[in-house]
């Protein structure tokens, strides 16, 4: 029994994989589309107080963001289907052969979780200062004369901006009477 060559082109599955590989940026477009639909769905089903006055309410920003995500998803899909391709990042000097720095990741995660635990008993100004100082330390700064001062100023400025200017109450902790 002999087999004959049919002389046909490569299998359709191979061609489909090649087309998908050439248009892989469509995955980002699909992700943006799904995110836009999710944001719009959540915004439109939001329970809004009937006593709201004025044109700008709690739905306004999510609707604008969701619509923007849908527009960007459509524009990206059109660009990719017309042959547009993303350019490789040339500005990064990351050596992909080096292993990940899990120590830094663990330190940052620990500092973040520590700040989350300490924010209620110590208040935002103290927990925020520890967060900023710990993050600087985890990322390699060893200036013990300067870093705590900068962290304290950043934390107090953030607390004042949110608490006093934006009206978002943050826990003050023991410094509540002082600030």
């Amino acid at each position: 029994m002999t087999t004959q060559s049919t002389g046909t082109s490569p299998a359709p599955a191979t061609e489909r994989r090649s087309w998908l590989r050439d248009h892989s940026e469509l995955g980002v477009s699909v992700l943006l589309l799904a995110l836009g639909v999710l944001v719009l769905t959540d915004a439109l089903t939001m329970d809004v107080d009937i006593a709201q006055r004025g044109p700008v309410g709690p739905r306004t920003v999510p609707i604008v963001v969701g619509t923007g995500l849908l527009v960007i998803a459509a524009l990206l899909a059109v660009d990719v289907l017309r042959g547009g391709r993303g350019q490789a990042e040339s500005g990064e000097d990351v050596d992909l052969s080096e292993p990940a720095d899990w120590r830094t990741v663990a330190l940052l995660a620990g500092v973040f979780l520590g700040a989350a635990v300490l924010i209620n008993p110590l208040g935002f100004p103290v927990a925020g200062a520890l967060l900023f100082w710990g993050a600087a330390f985890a990322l390699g700064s060893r200036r013990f004369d300067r870093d705590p001062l900068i962290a304290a100023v950043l934390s107090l400025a953030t607390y004042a901006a949110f608490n006093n200017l934006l009206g978002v109450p943050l826990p003050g902790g023991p410094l509540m009477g002082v600030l």
Side-chain angles (χ1 to χ4, degrees), residues 160-173:
F162 275 85
N163 203 45
N164 301 338
L165 298 177
L166 298 175
V168 178
L170 295 175

Side-chain angles (χ1 to χ4, degrees), residues 86-93:
Q87 294 180 357
E89 180 68 36
S90 61
E92 288 288 327
D93 68 7

